[in-house]
PDB file of all heavy atoms in Angstrom:
ATOM      1  N   LEU A 510      -0.121  -5.018   6.583  1.00 96.00           N
ATOM      2  CA  LEU A 510      -0.290  -5.363   5.176  1.00 96.00           C
ATOM      3  C   LEU A 510       0.395  -4.335   4.265  1.00 96.00           C
ATOM      4  O   LEU A 510       1.019  -4.702   3.263  1.00 96.00           O
ATOM      5  CB  LEU A 510      -1.780  -5.467   4.834  1.00 96.00           C
ATOM      6  CG  LEU A 510      -2.501  -6.680   5.428  1.00 96.00           C
ATOM      7  CD1 LEU A 510      -4.014  -6.555   5.226  1.00 96.00           C
ATOM      8  CD2 LEU A 510      -1.993  -7.980   4.799  1.00 96.00           C
ATOM      9  N   MET A 511       0.270  -3.053   4.611  1.00 96.00           N
ATOM     10  CA  MET A 511       0.947  -2.028   3.824  1.00 96.00           C
ATOM     11  C   MET A 511       2.456  -2.230   3.875  1.00 96.00           C
ATOM     12  O   MET A 511       3.158  -2.128   2.848  1.00 96.00           O
ATOM     13  CB  MET A 511       0.586  -0.631   4.351  1.00 96.00           C
ATOM     14  CG  MET A 511      -0.877  -0.249   4.176  1.00 96.00           C
ATOM     15  SD  MET A 511      -1.351  -0.093   2.431  1.00 96.00           S
ATOM     16  CE  MET A 511      -3.059   0.431   2.587  1.00 96.00           C
ATOM     17  N   LYS A 512       2.994  -2.506   5.048  1.00 96.00           N
ATOM     18  CA  LYS A 512       4.426  -2.739   5.206  1.00 96.00           C
ATOM     19  C   LYS A 512       4.856  -3.993   4.445  1.00 96.00           C
ATOM     20  O   LYS A 512       5.915  -4.004   3.797  1.00 96.00           O
ATOM     21  CB  LYS A 512       4.750  -2.887   6.696  1.00 96.00           C
ATOM     22  CG  LYS A 512       6.208  -3.199   7.006  1.00 96.00           C
ATOM     23  CD  LYS A 512       7.108  -2.028   6.701  1.00 96.00           C
ATOM     24  CE  LYS A 512       8.531  -2.299   7.139  1.00 96.00           C
ATOM     25  NZ  LYS A 512       9.454  -1.173   6.849  1.00 96.00           N
ATOM     26  N   TRP A 513       4.046  -5.027   4.514  1.00 96.00           N
ATOM     27  CA  TRP A 513       4.353  -6.278   3.813  1.00 96.00           C
ATOM     28  C   TRP A 513       4.423  -6.053   2.306  1.00 96.00           C
ATOM     29  O   TRP A 513       5.350  -6.500   1.633  1.00 96.00           O
ATOM     30  CB  TRP A 513       3.299  -7.330   4.154  1.00 96.00           C
ATOM     31  CG  TRP A 513       3.598  -8.701   3.627  1.00 96.00           C
ATOM     32  CD1 TRP A 513       4.829  -9.230   3.335  1.00 96.00           C
ATOM     33  CD2 TRP A 513       2.640  -9.719   3.321  1.00 96.00           C
ATOM     34  NE1 TRP A 513       4.696 -10.522   2.880  1.00 96.00           N
ATOM     35  CE2 TRP A 513       3.373 -10.846   2.854  1.00 96.00           C
ATOM     36  CE3 TRP A 513       1.253  -9.809   3.409  1.00 96.00           C
ATOM     37  CZ2 TRP A 513       2.740 -12.031   2.462  1.00 96.00           C
ATOM     38  CZ3 TRP A 513       0.628 -10.982   3.030  1.00 96.00           C
ATOM     39  CH2 TRP A 513       1.366 -12.081   2.570  1.00 96.00           C
ATOM     40  N   GLY A 514       3.430  -5.330   1.775  1.00 95.00           N
ATOM     41  CA  GLY A 514       3.442  -5.032   0.349  1.00 95.00           C
ATOM     42  C   GLY A 514       4.679  -4.252  -0.058  1.00 95.00           C
ATOM     43  O   GLY A 514       5.278  -4.502  -1.116  1.00 95.00           O
ATOM     44  N   ALA A 515       5.102  -3.304   0.820  1.00 94.00           N
ATOM     45  CA  ALA A 515       6.267  -2.476   0.508  1.00 94.00           C
ATOM     46  C   ALA A 515       7.575  -3.259   0.584  1.00 94.00           C
ATOM     47  O   ALA A 515       8.584  -2.821   0.013  1.00 94.00           O
ATOM     48  CB  ALA A 515       6.315  -1.281   1.442  1.00 94.00           C
ATOM     49  N   THR A 516       7.583  -4.372   1.299  1.00 94.00           N
ATOM     50  CA  THR A 516       8.796  -5.199   1.349  1.00 94.00           C
ATOM     51  C   THR A 516       8.906  -6.111   0.131  1.00 94.00           C
ATOM     52  O   THR A 516      10.004  -6.557  -0.208  1.00 94.00           O
ATOM     53  CB  THR A 516       8.825  -6.062   2.624  1.00 94.00           C
ATOM     54  OG1 THR A 516       7.668  -6.914   2.645  1.00 94.00           O
ATOM     55  CG2 THR A 516       8.834  -5.191   3.873  1.00 94.00           C
ATOM     56  N   LEU A 517       7.777  -6.376  -0.513  1.00 94.00           N
ATOM     57  CA  LEU A 517       7.790  -7.248  -1.697  1.00 94.00           C
ATOM     58  C   LEU A 517       8.125  -6.467  -2.965  1.00 94.00           C
ATOM     59  O   LEU A 517       8.833  -6.972  -3.844  1.00 94.00           O
ATOM     60  CB  LEU A 517       6.424  -7.933  -1.849  1.00 94.00           C
ATOM     61  CG  LEU A 517       6.008  -8.857  -0.704  1.00 94.00           C
ATOM     62  CD1 LEU A 517       4.593  -9.395  -0.944  1.00 94.00           C
ATOM     63  CD2 LEU A 517       6.993 -10.015  -0.550  1.00 94.00           C
ATOM     64  N   GLU A 518       7.592  -5.255  -3.063  1.00 94.00           N
ATOM     65  CA  GLU A 518       7.828  -4.386  -4.220  1.00 94.00           C
ATOM     66  C   GLU A 518       7.858  -2.941  -3.737  1.00 94.00           C
ATOM     67  O   GLU A 518       7.286  -2.635  -2.680  1.00 94.00           O
ATOM     68  CB  GLU A 518       6.724  -4.552  -5.265  1.00 94.00           C
ATOM     69  CG  GLU A 518       6.642  -5.923  -5.904  1.00 94.00           C
ATOM     70  CD  GLU A 518       5.461  -6.057  -6.847  1.00 94.00           C
ATOM     71  OE1 GLU A 518       4.763  -5.045  -7.073  1.00 94.00           O
ATOM     72  OE2 GLU A 518       5.233  -7.159  -7.356  1.00 94.00           O
ATOM     73  N   PRO A 519       8.500  -2.036  -4.478  1.00 93.00           N
ATOM     74  CA  PRO A 519       8.482  -0.622  -4.085  1.00 93.00           C
ATOM     75  C   PRO A 519       7.048  -0.073  -4.064  1.00 93.00           C
ATOM     76  O   PRO A 519       6.339  -0.146  -5.061  1.00 93.00           O
ATOM     77  CB  PRO A 519       9.323   0.058  -5.168  1.00 93.00           C
ATOM     78  CG  PRO A 519      10.162  -1.023  -5.750  1.00 93.00           C
ATOM     79  CD  PRO A 519       9.332  -2.269  -5.677  1.00 93.00           C
ATOM     80  N   VAL A 520       6.643   0.457  -2.925  1.00 94.00           N
ATOM     81  CA  VAL A 520       5.318   1.064  -2.766  1.00 94.00           C
ATOM     82  C   VAL A 520       5.523   2.419  -2.106  1.00 94.00           C
ATOM     83  O   VAL A 520       6.095   2.505  -1.017  1.00 94.00           O
ATOM     84  CB  VAL A 520       4.388   0.190  -1.902  1.00 94.00           C
ATOM     85  CG1 VAL A 520       3.024   0.875  -1.739  1.00 94.00           C
ATOM     86  CG2 VAL A 520       4.206  -1.186  -2.510  1.00 94.00           C
ATOM     87  N   SER A 521       5.082   3.479  -2.750  1.00 94.00           N
ATOM     88  CA  SER A 521       5.255   4.826  -2.203  1.00 94.00           C
ATOM     89  C   SER A 521       4.208   5.113  -1.129  1.00 94.00           C
ATOM     90  O   SER A 521       3.176   4.434  -1.035  1.00 94.00           O
ATOM     91  CB  SER A 521       5.148   5.871  -3.315  1.00 94.00           C
ATOM     92  OG  SER A 521       3.825   5.915  -3.830  1.00 94.00           O
ATOM     93  N   ALA A 522       4.494   6.138  -0.331  1.00 95.00           N
ATOM     94  CA  ALA A 522       3.533   6.548   0.691  1.00 95.00           C
ATOM     95  C   ALA A 522       2.227   7.010   0.054  1.00 95.00           C
ATOM     96  O   ALA A 522       1.135   6.764   0.585  1.00 95.00           O
ATOM     97  CB  ALA A 522       4.132   7.660   1.551  1.00 95.00           C
ATOM     98  N   GLY A 523       2.317   7.678  -1.101  1.00 95.00           N
ATOM     99  CA  GLY A 523       1.107   8.119  -1.800  1.00 95.00           C
ATOM    100  C   GLY A 523       0.237   6.956  -2.224  1.00 95.00           C
ATOM    101  O   GLY A 523      -0.993   7.013  -2.122  1.00 95.00           O
ATOM    102  N   GLU A 524       0.868   5.880  -2.691  1.00 96.00           N
ATOM    103  CA  GLU A 524       0.117   4.681  -3.078  1.00 96.00           C
ATOM    104  C   GLU A 524      -0.571   4.056  -1.865  1.00 96.00           C
ATOM    105  O   GLU A 524      -1.694   3.553  -1.967  1.00 96.00           O
ATOM    106  CB  GLU A 524       1.053   3.672  -3.731  1.00 96.00           C
ATOM    107  CG  GLU A 524       1.529   4.067  -5.106  1.00 96.00           C
ATOM    108  CD  GLU A 524       2.506   3.066  -5.686  1.00 96.00           C
ATOM    109  OE1 GLU A 524       3.631   2.960  -5.146  1.00 96.00           O
ATOM    110  OE2 GLU A 524       2.151   2.370  -6.650  1.00 96.00           O
ATOM    111  N   MET A 525       0.112   4.073  -0.712  1.00 96.00           N
ATOM    112  CA  MET A 525      -0.494   3.526   0.503  1.00 96.00           C
ATOM    113  C   MET A 525      -1.726   4.330   0.901  1.00 96.00           C
ATOM    114  O   MET A 525      -2.779   3.763   1.246  1.00 96.00           O
ATOM    115  CB  MET A 525       0.527   3.531   1.642  1.00 96.00           C
ATOM    116  CG  MET A 525       1.673   2.555   1.475  1.00 96.00           C
ATOM    117  SD  MET A 525       2.780   2.596   2.922  1.00 96.00           S
ATOM    118  CE  MET A 525       4.002   1.382   2.449  1.00 96.00           C
ATOM    119  N   VAL A 526      -1.605   5.660   0.850  1.00 96.00           N
ATOM    120  CA  VAL A 526      -2.742   6.520   1.194  1.00 96.00           C
ATOM    121  C   VAL A 526      -3.900   6.291   0.224  1.00 96.00           C
ATOM    122  O   VAL A 526      -5.067   6.194   0.624  1.00 96.00           O
ATOM    123  CB  VAL A 526      -2.320   8.004   1.191  1.00 96.00           C
ATOM    124  CG1 VAL A 526      -3.532   8.915   1.357  1.00 96.00           C
ATOM    125  CG2 VAL A 526      -1.308   8.275   2.297  1.00 96.00           C
ATOM    126  N   PHE A 527      -3.581   6.189  -1.060  1.00 95.00           N
ATOM    127  CA  PHE A 527      -4.615   5.981  -2.063  1.00 95.00           C
ATOM    128  C   PHE A 527      -5.313   4.634  -1.857  1.00 95.00           C
ATOM    129  O   PHE A 527      -6.552   4.545  -1.923  1.00 95.00           O
ATOM    130  CB  PHE A 527      -4.009   6.039  -3.461  1.00 95.00           C
ATOM    131  CG  PHE A 527      -5.013   5.873  -4.567  1.00 95.00           C
ATOM    132  CD1 PHE A 527      -6.033   6.798  -4.747  1.00 95.00           C
ATOM    133  CD2 PHE A 527      -4.941   4.786  -5.425  1.00 95.00           C
ATOM    134  CE1 PHE A 527      -6.967   6.647  -5.770  1.00 95.00           C
ATOM    135  CE2 PHE A 527      -5.868   4.621  -6.446  1.00 95.00           C
ATOM    136  CZ  PHE A 527      -6.882   5.556  -6.624  1.00 95.00           C
ATOM    137  N   SER A 528      -4.547   3.581  -1.583  1.00 95.00           N
ATOM    138  CA  SER A 528      -5.140   2.260  -1.356  1.00 95.00           C
ATOM    139  C   SER A 528      -6.017   2.265  -0.113  1.00 95.00           C
ATOM    140  O   SER A 528      -7.110   1.683  -0.113  1.00 95.00           O
ATOM    141  CB  SER A 528      -4.032   1.209  -1.206  1.00 95.00           C
ATOM    142  OG  SER A 528      -3.265   1.103  -2.388  1.00 95.00           O
ATOM    143  N   ARG A 529      -5.545   2.925   0.939  1.00 94.00           N
ATOM    144  CA  ARG A 529      -6.324   2.979   2.178  1.00 94.00           C
ATOM    145  C   ARG A 529      -7.672   3.654   1.957  1.00 94.00           C
ATOM    146  O   ARG A 529      -8.703   3.190   2.448  1.00 94.00           O
ATOM    147  CB  ARG A 529      -5.554   3.724   3.256  1.00 94.00           C
ATOM    148  CG  ARG A 529      -6.292   3.812   4.592  1.00 94.00           C
ATOM    149  CD  ARG A 529      -5.574   4.724   5.559  1.00 94.00           C
ATOM    150  NE  ARG A 529      -6.182   4.701   6.868  1.00 94.00           N
ATOM    151  CZ  ARG A 529      -7.188   5.453   7.240  1.00 94.00           C
ATOM    152  NH1 ARG A 529      -7.754   6.293   6.377  1.00 94.00           N
ATOM    153  NH2 ARG A 529      -7.678   5.382   8.471  1.00 94.00           N
ATOM    154  N   SER A 530      -7.667   4.749   1.202  1.00 93.00           N
ATOM    155  CA  SER A 530      -8.912   5.496   1.003  1.00 93.00           C
ATOM    156  C   SER A 530      -9.800   4.852  -0.052  1.00 93.00           C
ATOM    157  O   SER A 530     -11.019   4.768   0.117  1.00 93.00           O
ATOM    158  CB  SER A 530      -8.590   6.944   0.615  1.00 93.00           C
ATOM    159  OG  SER A 530      -7.712   6.982  -0.495  1.00 93.00           O
ATOM    160  N   LEU A 531      -9.200   4.387  -1.153  1.00 93.00           N
ATOM    161  CA  LEU A 531      -9.996   3.821  -2.244  1.00 93.00           C
ATOM    162  C   LEU A 531     -10.744   2.570  -1.797  1.00 93.00           C
ATOM    163  O   LEU A 531     -11.953   2.427  -2.057  1.00 93.00           O
ATOM    164  CB  LEU A 531      -9.092   3.487  -3.433  1.00 93.00           C
ATOM    165  CG  LEU A 531      -9.786   2.823  -4.632  1.00 93.00           C
ATOM    166  CD1 LEU A 531     -10.764   3.799  -5.271  1.00 93.00           C
ATOM    167  CD2 LEU A 531      -8.756   2.349  -5.658  1.00 93.00           C
ATOM    168  N   PHE A 532     -10.052   1.655  -1.129  1.00 93.00           N
ATOM    169  CA  PHE A 532     -10.686   0.393  -0.737  1.00 93.00           C
ATOM    170  C   PHE A 532     -11.396   0.489   0.615  1.00 93.00           C
ATOM    171  O   PHE A 532     -12.209  -0.379   0.951  1.00 93.00           O
ATOM    172  CB  PHE A 532      -9.639  -0.725  -0.717  1.00 93.00           C
ATOM    173  CG  PHE A 532      -9.047  -1.006  -2.068  1.00 93.00           C
ATOM    174  CD1 PHE A 532      -7.780  -0.549  -2.398  1.00 93.00           C
ATOM    175  CD2 PHE A 532      -9.775  -1.691  -3.023  1.00 93.00           C
ATOM    176  CE1 PHE A 532      -7.240  -0.789  -3.657  1.00 93.00           C
ATOM    177  CE2 PHE A 532      -9.247  -1.933  -4.286  1.00 93.00           C
ATOM    178  CZ  PHE A 532      -7.972  -1.478  -4.602  1.00 93.00           C
ATOM    179  N   GLY A 533     -11.096   1.529   1.385  1.00 92.00           N
ATOM    180  CA  GLY A 533     -11.807   1.728   2.641  1.00 92.00           C
ATOM    181  C   GLY A 533     -13.080   2.528   2.483  1.00 92.00           C
ATOM    182  O   GLY A 533     -14.011   2.410   3.284  1.00 92.00           O
TER     183      GLY A 533
END
């Protein structure tokens, strides 16, 4: 899902880490 989101729009590694922790 993180990879899919990054293929649709620019998503930084920091945003991925933040999303993983915030919603997890």
Side-chain angles (χ1 to χ4, degrees):
L510 289 170
M511 294 295 183
K512 177 69 174 180
W513 187 26
T516 59
L517 298 176
E518 296 175 5
V520 179
S521 67
E524 289 177 292
M525 291 183 180
V526 172
F527 182 63
S528 297
R529 181 188 186 274
S530 53
L531 177 66
F532 296 103

